[in-house]
Amino acid sequence: QVQLVESGGGLVQAGGSLRLSCAASGRTFSNYAMGWFRQTPGKEREFVARISWRGLNADYSDSVKGRFTISRDNAKNTVYLQMNSLKPEDTAVYYCAADPSWTDILRGEPEYWGQGTQVTVSS
């Protein structure tokens, strides 16, 4: 089992920044590709970003590319999502995800999910 705990969400004005963190425990962190997803009420959970096991590769959704940066620190068992130039449409619950498969992260079918952290961007 892998436990994922997100933190860092909150209320921010449009144009501002937030950094989300996701702390993992339970298994060898570096064996897992990691990802971030988000969900708003009435909508399906959508992919935001993913990062490979050692952090050498990363992908982003078109809606956040150039504004968000995913990174990881395997020594701290933590993955981060730096969010800059935030927009009201970025408002959502953000979820951390872990899976040994890089592909399954992008498919939205990770083995483990965190509980989510709320991000609210005011206009």
Side-chain angles (χ1 to χ4, degrees), residues 38 46-48 59-67 87:
R38 65 188 182 186
E46 66 167 340
F47 168 78
V48 173
D59 283 339
Y60 300 89
S61 67
D62 289 343
S63 61
V64 307
K65 198 172 295 182
R67 300 187 298 121
K87 305 174 181 180

Side-chain angles (χ1 to χ4, degrees), residues 20 74 106 118:
L20 305 183
N74 286 350
L106 185 61
Q118 176 71 46

Side-chain angles (χ1 to χ4, degrees), residues 47-60:
F47 168 78
V48 173
R50 63 173 177 167
I51 189 165
S52 59
W53 308 267
R54 291 188 293 166
L56 298 180
N57 295 291
D59 283 339
Y60 300 89

Side-chain angles (χ1 to χ4, degrees), residues 35-98:
W36 286 96
F37 292 76
R38 65 188 182 186
Q39 189 171 25
T40 54
K43 293 188 177 181
E44 291 189 358
R45 198 171 296 187
E46 66 167 340
F47 168 78
V48 173
R50 63 173 177 167
I51 189 165
S52 59
W53 308 267
R54 291 188 293 166
L56 298 180
N57 295 291
D59 283 339
Y60 300 89
S61 67
D62 289 343
S63 61
V64 307
K65 198 172 295 182
R67 300 187 298 121
F68 290 11
T69 302
I70 188 171
S71 62
R72 66 189 295 162
D73 185 337
N74 286 350
K76 295 183 178 180
N77 292 350
T78 302
V79 63
Y80 305 97
L81 185 68
Q82 178 66 44
M83 305 185 295
N84 298 329
S85 301
L86 282 161
K87 305 174 181 180
E89 51 264 43
D90 295 318
T91 295
V93 177
Y94 283 72
Y95 295 91
C96 176

Side-chain angles (χ1 to χ4, degrees), residues 6-38:
E6 300 97 332
S7 61
L11 174 64
V12 63
Q13 288 188 335
S17 298
L18 280 176
R19 188 176 82 155
L20 305 183
S21 299
C22 173
S25 61
R27 293 281 176 89
T28 303
F29 183 65
S30 58
N31 287 346
Y32 290 82
M34 302 295 296
W36 286 96
F37 292 76
R38 65 188 182 186

